[in-house]
Amino acid sequence: MDVTGMVVRCTSCLNQINHHDPDKVKKHIRLGVLICGECYTFYGTSEFSQDESGNYNYCTWCGNGGKLFLCDFCPNVFCSTCVRHNFGRSAMAKINKEGFLNATVVSRQNSKLK
C-alpha cells in the first residue's frame, strides 16, 4: 500500500502523524495500533494500577481516565473517547446498551485499523 499521499492519524489523540519520519510513528505497546511518538511516551510501559477486580484504572488505549468500559474477559478498559474515535458512535451505543466491552472484539477490530 502506498501511503505517500495519505493522512495518517494517531489512534489515541487523533493528531496527524508525519509518517515519513519513523521516529514519529510508533506501535501501541499493548494494542499494536499506530500511535504518535508523544502518545507512546505518555503511555509508557502500560504498567497501570488495577482495581480490586483486576481491571486497569486507566484506558488501555490512551492511558487517560474518564468514562471507562470494562472488559468482562480481560483487565483492559477503554474510555468512551477512544471507543467513539476508533469504532464510531454505533459501537458506543452498543456498549452503552450492553453494559460491557469484549476486548476480544476490540482486538479483532484493531486488525482493521492496521
Side-chain angles (χ1 to χ4, degrees):
M1 174 190 294
D2 182 23
V3 296
T4 307
M6 295 177 75
V7 174
V8 178
R9 296 197 178 276
C10 174
T11 60
S12 182
C13 69
L14 297 183
N15 287 337
Q16 186 172 344
I17 303 172
N18 177 359
H19 57 283
H20 301 290
D21 182 350
D23 292 331
K24 303 287 184 189
V25 180
K26 301 292 184 182
K27 184 177 178 180
H28 193 285
I29 193 168
R30 190 175 297 273
L31 301 175
V33 296
L34 293 178
I35 58 173
C36 66
E38 290 178 27
C39 287
Y40 184 84
T41 301
F42 173 77
Y43 194 80
T45 63
S46 80
E47 296 297 323
F48 298 144
S49 59
Q50 294 173 294
D51 65 15
E52 62 279 351
S53 300
N55 290 100
Y56 294 117
N57 290 318
Y58 300 98
C59 177
T60 302
W61 207 307
C62 69
N64 290 310
K67 183 176 181 181
L68 299 174
F69 296 98
L70 310 177
C71 176
D72 283 352
F73 306 100
C74 72
N76 290 329
V77 299
F78 297 92
C79 71
S80 58
T81 302
C82 285
V83 172
R84 189 177 64 254
H85 285 166
N86 292 290
F87 302 109
R89 294 186 186 280
S90 61
M92 193 71 215
K94 183 176 181 180
I95 293 167
N96 276 323
K97 180 180 177 186
E98 294 178 3
F100 75 95
L101 176 71
N102 182 342
T104 306
V105 174
V106 171
S107 295
R108 282 189 221 123
Q109 292 292 326
N110 284 346
S111 64
K112 295 177 184 175
L113 296 174
K114 294 177 185 177

